[in-house]
Amino acid sequence: MSQILEPRDLIARGTARTRDEAIREAGGLLVASGAVSDDYVASMFEREASVSTYMGNFLAIPHGTNDAKESILRSALSLVRYAEPIDWNGQPVRFAVGIAGLNNEHLEILSKIAIVFSDEDEVAKLIDAGSAEEIYALLEEVNAE
């Protein structure tokens, strides 16, 4: 696996105020990085309509449906942090992590993100980080082989 999370795919101060805006923001980063085509974002909304991607600990991981596999050009993550929690189907979200996995790499990527976000101290560090660079440094493990 190559670099999954690039600094350019991370926003420390997201502008979304709703769940759908957050999906668009996280998905837009994946499109802008060349990891997915535009239609992948539509499949992220399809996934959300069938099952919430809220994971707990202020984290949502919007991602496409299985039918959108052909829209994935390379495995990648995007991360957007929000100053104020976004209402995600009644749950507070401070981090929207867009994910695209080529050849089932999304499972390994998901497990790395889950490890970080299952630790409340790590989540607190991510919330308190002063910059995108600090957030990126805290998430370096997602790029580890």
Side-chain angles (χ1 to χ4, degrees):
M1 238 186 308
S2 60
Q3 196 84 346
I4 296 301
L5 180 65
E6 301 274 355
R8 69 173 183 250
D9 301 326
L10 193 152
I11 296 175
R13 290 174 183 79
T15 59
R17 297 287 170 253
T18 67
R19 180 198 71 188
D20 287 358
E21 289 173 358
I23 292 171
R24 228 174 265 108
E25 199 165 21
L29 286 171
L30 292 173
V31 172
S33 75
V36 300
S37 58
D38 285 330
D39 51 339
Y40 187 77
V41 178
S43 80
M44 293 169 84
F45 284 103
E46 288 174 32
R47 166 78 65 192
E48 197 65 44
S50 66
V51 62
S52 176
T53 58
Y54 174 76
M55 299 291 153
N57 270 353
F58 302 107
L59 172 67
I61 306 179
H63 56 287
T65 62
N66 290 338
D67 292 341
K69 286 181 181 173
E70 68 278 354
S71 303
I72 301 171
L73 307 171
R74 68 175 176 82
S75 294
L77 279 179
S78 64
L79 183 141
V80 185
R81 180 183 68 178
Y82 298 99
E84 296 299 320
I86 288 177
D87 178 351
W88 205 284
N89 303 327
Q91 301 295 332
V93 166
R94 296 281 307 272
F95 299 92
V97 176
I99 186 168
L102 202 58
N103 302 323
N104 290 324
E105 285 181 343
H106 64 284
L107 299 174
E108 184 179 342
I109 298 165
L110 278 169
S111 74
K112 289 179 178 183
I113 289 294
I115 289 168
V116 172
F117 278 89
S118 66
D119 184 331
E120 291 183 13
D121 291 337
E122 289 301 309
V123 174
K125 287 179 194 174
L126 289 165
I127 288 172
D128 294 339
S131 67
E133 292 79 14
E134 278 184 57
I135 296 169
Y136 184 77
L138 289 166
L139 293 172
E140 270 184 309
E141 288 180 27
V142 300
N143 285 324
E145 292 294 325

